[in-house]
Amino acid sequence: MATENADQVLAAWETSSQYWNKHQALIEKMYAPLTRALIEEAQIVAGRSVLDIGGGAGEPSLTIARVVGPSGHVMFTDPTAGMVKAAREESERRGLENMEFHQCPAEDLPFPDDCFDVAVGRLSAMFFSDVTTALRQILRVVKPGGCVALLVWADRELNPFFSVITEILDRFVPTEPEDEDAPAAFRFARPGKLVKLLEGAGAVSVKERMLKFETEAPIDVAQFWELRTEMSDTFRTKIAKLSADEVMAVRDEVQKAAAVYFRNGSMSFPSQALIISGRKSSL
Ligand SMILES: C[S@@+](CC[C@H](N)C(=O)[O-])C[C@H]1O[C@@H](n2cnc3c(N)ncnc32)[C@H](O)[C@@H]1O
């Protein structure tokens, strides 16, 4: 991928970081099932040293720091300064003393070979600028026999948390067909795609499973509109092209279409993700 595209991806995440920081508590709650699944997949327990790739506003690092406890260690990484700052501040607020922070992309990890028991990435692998280099780097820094577990979104159609907005917004803003290999939320939605890349990077015992869960939070449909149109660079960029009247029309349509996922002031979207995991060869 061209460097200027990689720079654009990072610039978009830099802008997004203020919103991911603002909604940190909500994001932690909504995606808690994803964190639990990664912890289970990578068999993370007390005492483990864990590398988090693209940790965003702090998850899954903050939860894992509690699981590994004082005898364990979490290395949070993210290439975006705003995300690293948000995660570090939240860690300090929680008094976590077993976390360290590095601003770096997965393609360029500033760690020695063979130093982590486990590496995880929650919803970050889709944004790597050079996937093979990133996966090789991750495998390089994991100990022989250590686990790499990456969580990515399944198809957009299986995730109305996204599609309920996309389908309406795309009628108002002409949208180019997506390049399915470009960094974006659904880049690895096709089963087997990331499996092949992880195997190609040298991992062994690679497997994939589908995770069905509910994206839940104590918010109403108006708060959902605010949350989604702030968190997503794609939505922010498209909305910026609309007039004020069109934005209101989209918002009203979205709120009407999404109403089915809200009851008694609470949100619950059926959701699906893929967990791809493998091990570094111990030979
Ligand atoms: C959807 S967010 C996920 C954040 C967090 N892991 C979570 O689940 O809440 C994607 C994250 O990937 C990070 N990212 C983008 N490019 C990356 C790269 N080349 N290497 C590692 N992380 C990257 C972004 O900065 C952003 O924080």
Side-chain angles (χ1 to χ4, degrees), residues 57-115:
E59 284 294 318
S61 279
L62 295 162
T63 299
I64 291 175
R66 289 223 194 280
V67 173
V68 299
S71 59
H73 183 261
V74 175
M75 181 65 76
F76 170 101
T77 62
D78 197 284
T80 309
M83 293 294 196
V84 178
K85 183 170 181 285
R88 189 196 296 273
E89 286 174 0
E90 187 56 30
S91 162
E92 283 167 5
R93 254 193 300 280
R94 295 182 190 195
L96 294 168
E97 290 178 355
N98 58 349
M99 285 184 76
E100 259 182 89
F101 299 83
H102 268 280
Q103 184 184 344
C104 58
E107 292 82 354
D108 190 12
L109 297 173
F111 310 116
D113 296 355
D114 306 338
C115 65

Side-chain angles (χ1 to χ4, degrees), residues 195-207:
V195 167
K196 223 170 159 187
L197 289 165
L198 190 54
E199 283 172 343
V204 296
S205 308
V206 178
K207 55 191 185 207

